[in-house]
C-alpha cells in the first residue's frame, strides 16, 4: 500500500485528485500483496436461500420467486449477469436447499448448529484460490427481515429501527415485518452477544454462506466487495468477532434500505456509491 501511495505522488496529476480511486488502488495492493494491483481474476458469488418467516407476510412476493430469480441468473437475464460480463468477472450462483426454507425466526432458530456450519462451509469452499477480488451478493425472498433481525441481534435496537420495505412491502406488510423481528429478538434474547449464535438463529443459509466466503477471503488475503444490506448483515459477525475482521472488505454501495446506513456506520464501512 505504501508503494502505491509513493507511486501516486509521482504521477502527472494534482495530489489526491482521483479521490476514492486512489484509495481503492492502495487497498487492492495491500490485500493482493503486490505494488501494482490487478483485477484479472474477479469472481462474483451469489448465494440464494429461502426463509420460513416469509409465511408471516413480511414480503410482497412468495418464496417461489427465489427459485425463479435463480433461474433468471442461470439464463443470463439478471442485472448481475450484465455487470459481470462487462467487468470480465466469473459469476457463480449457488442455491442452498431452496425446497427447505429455514425455520421461522419468530418461532425458533433459522438454523441449528449443524445447518449453520454446512452453509458456512458451502460459502467458504466456494472461494477459489488466487482471486484478485471477490464480489458477494444474495437472493432470497424475506431475507431483508432476516438481515434486520441479525443486525438487531448484533447491535441492539428493534424492528422499527432496522426494518425497511425490502422489495416494496406496503404499510401493513412493514408492520408485520417489524413485529416478526421483535418476536424473533424476544424469542432469542438469550443469545444476544454471541455473534455466531445470532447469525445461526436469526439469519439464513445464504447469509451464512456469505459469512463463510468473507472468512475464506480473509484467510486467503483476497479483497472483498459487499453488495447491499443483506450482504453487509451477513458479513457483520466477522466485524463483531474481531475489530479488524472486515478490513479486507469494502462496501460496494449504500442502499435505501432503512438499516443499511446504520449498519455500515457500526462496521466502519464507507460505501463506494451512496
Amino acid at each position: 500500500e505504501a508503494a502505491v501511495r509513493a507511486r501516486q505522488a509521482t504521477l502527472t496529476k494534482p495530489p489526491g485528485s482521483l479521490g476514492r480511486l486512489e484509495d481503492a488502488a492502495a487497498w487492492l495492493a495491500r490485500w493482493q500483496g503486490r505494488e501494482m494491483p490487478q483485477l484479472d481474476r474477479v469472481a462474483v458469488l451469489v448465494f440464494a436461500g429461502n426463509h420460513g418467516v416469509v409465511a408471516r407476510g413480511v414480503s410482497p412476493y412468495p418464496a417461489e420467486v427465489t427459485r425463479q430469480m435463480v433461474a433468471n441468473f442461470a439464463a443470463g437475464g439478471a442485472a448481475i449477469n450484465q455487470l459481470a460480463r462487462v467487468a470480465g468477472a466469473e459469476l457463480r450462483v449457488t442455491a442452498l436447499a431452496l425446497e427447505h426454507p429455514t425455520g421461522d425466526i419468530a418461532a425458533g432458530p433459522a438454523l441449528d448448529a449443524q445447518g449453520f456450519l454446512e452453509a458456512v462451509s458451502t460459502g467458504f469452499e466456494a472461494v477459489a484460490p488466487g482471486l484478485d477480488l471477490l464480489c458477494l451478493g444474495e437472493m432470497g425472498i424475506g431475507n431483508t427481515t432476516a438481515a434486520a433481525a441479525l443486525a438487531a441481534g448484533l447491535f441492539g435496537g428493534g424492528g422499527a429501527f432496522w426494518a425497511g420495505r425490502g422489495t416494496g412491502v406496503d404499510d401493513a406488510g412493514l408492520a408485520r415485518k417489524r413485529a416478526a423481528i421483535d418476536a424473533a429478538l424476544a424469542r432469542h434474547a438469550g443469545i444476544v452477544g454471541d455473534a455466531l449464535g445470532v447469525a445461526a438463529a436469526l439469519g439464513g443459509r445464504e447469509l451464512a454462506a456469505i459469512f463463510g466466503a468473507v472468512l475464506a477471503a480473509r484467510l486467503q488475503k483476497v479483497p472483498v466487495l459487499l453488495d447491499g444490506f443483506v450482504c453487509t448483515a451477513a458479513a457483520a459477525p466477522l466485524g463483531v468477532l474481531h475489530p479488524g475482521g472486515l478490513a479486507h472488505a469494502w462496501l460496494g454501495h449504500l442502499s435505501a434500505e432503512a438499516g443499511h446506513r446504520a449498519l455500515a456506520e457500526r462496521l466502519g464501512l464507507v460505501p463506494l456509491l451512496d
Side-chain angles (χ1 to χ4, degrees), residues 50-53 100-111 201 203 205:
N50 273 325
H51 298 261
V53 73
H100 298 296
T102 59
D104 177 0
I105 59 175
L111 297 166
R205 291 187 184 91

Side-chain angles (χ1 to χ4, degrees), residues 5-103:
R5 297 289 188 191
R7 180 174 180 274
Q8 287 174 355
T10 70
L11 300 179
T12 310
K13 64 175 186 60
S17 61
L18 297 183
R20 299 289 306 281
L21 289 176
E22 297 188 18
D23 295 336
W27 172 70
L28 288 171
R30 173 185 178 184
W31 288 99
Q32 292 178 1
R34 55 171 69 99
E35 294 185 12
M36 293 292 286
Q38 63 189 40
L39 291 174
D40 295 334
R41 290 198 62 195
V42 179
V44 180
L45 301 183
V46 177
F47 298 97
N50 273 325
H51 298 261
V53 73
V54 169
R56 293 180 178 264
V58 299
S59 171
Y61 300 102
E64 291 76 22
V65 173
T66 301
R67 186 181 299 279
Q68 294 169 9
M69 279 300 301
V70 169
N72 192 28
F73 294 139
I80 188 57
N81 295 96
Q82 321 319 320
L83 293 169
R85 177 178 54 80
V86 169
E90 176 195 7
L91 171 63
R92 279 185 287 146
V93 181
T94 302
L96 295 102
L98 297 185
E99 67 280 8
H100 298 296
T102 59

Side-chain angles (χ1 to χ4, degrees), residues 116 150 153-155 191-203 211 233-242:
F116 177 68
L150 200 163
L154 292 175
F155 296 105
I191 62 169
V192 172
D194 174 3
L196 295 181
V198 166
L202 299 177
F211 174 81
L238 192 57
V240 172
L241 287 166
H242 190 284

Side-chain angles (χ1 to χ4, degrees), residues 4 51 69 95 109 126 128 136 177 188 235 242 257 265-266:
V4 168
H51 298 261
M69 279 300 301
L136 293 169
K177 188 173 183 177
H188 303 287
H242 190 284
E257 187 64 14
E265 289 173 351
R266 283 159 174 74

Side-chain angles (χ1 to χ4, degrees), residues 68-247:
Q68 294 169 9
M69 279 300 301
V70 169
N72 192 28
F73 294 139
I80 188 57
N81 295 96
Q82 321 319 320
L83 293 169
R85 177 178 54 80
V86 169
E90 176 195 7
L91 171 63
R92 279 185 287 146
V93 181
T94 302
L96 295 102
L98 297 185
E99 67 280 8
H100 298 296
T102 59
D104 177 0
I105 59 175
L111 297 166
D112 61 18
Q114 184 62 32
F116 177 68
L117 287 173
E118 288 174 357
V120 170
S121 295
T122 296
F124 191 95
E125 293 164 4
V127 180
L131 292 179
D132 297 322
L133 178 68
L134 174 65
C135 306
L136 293 169
E138 44 62 39
M139 176 60 212
I141 295 300
N143 67 9
T144 57
T145 301
L150 200 163
L154 292 175
F155 296 105
F161 181 82
W162 289 105
R165 294 189 182 272
T167 50
V169 74
D170 60 15
D171 288 347
L174 181 59
R176 291 191 295 269
K177 188 173 183 177
R178 290 171 172 171
I181 291 167
D182 289 340
L185 293 171
R187 176 84 181 189
H188 303 287
I191 62 169
V192 172
D194 174 3
L196 295 181
V198 166
L202 299 177
R205 291 187 184 91
E206 76 274 37
L207 281 80
I210 289 169
F211 174 81
V214 173
L215 179 60
R218 181 53 179 264
L219 295 176
Q220 295 183 35
K221 298 184 178 178
V222 174
V224 173
L225 274 183
L226 301 170
D227 178 71
F229 176 56
V230 176
C231 208
T232 308
L238 192 57
V240 172
L241 287 166
H242 190 284
L246 292 177

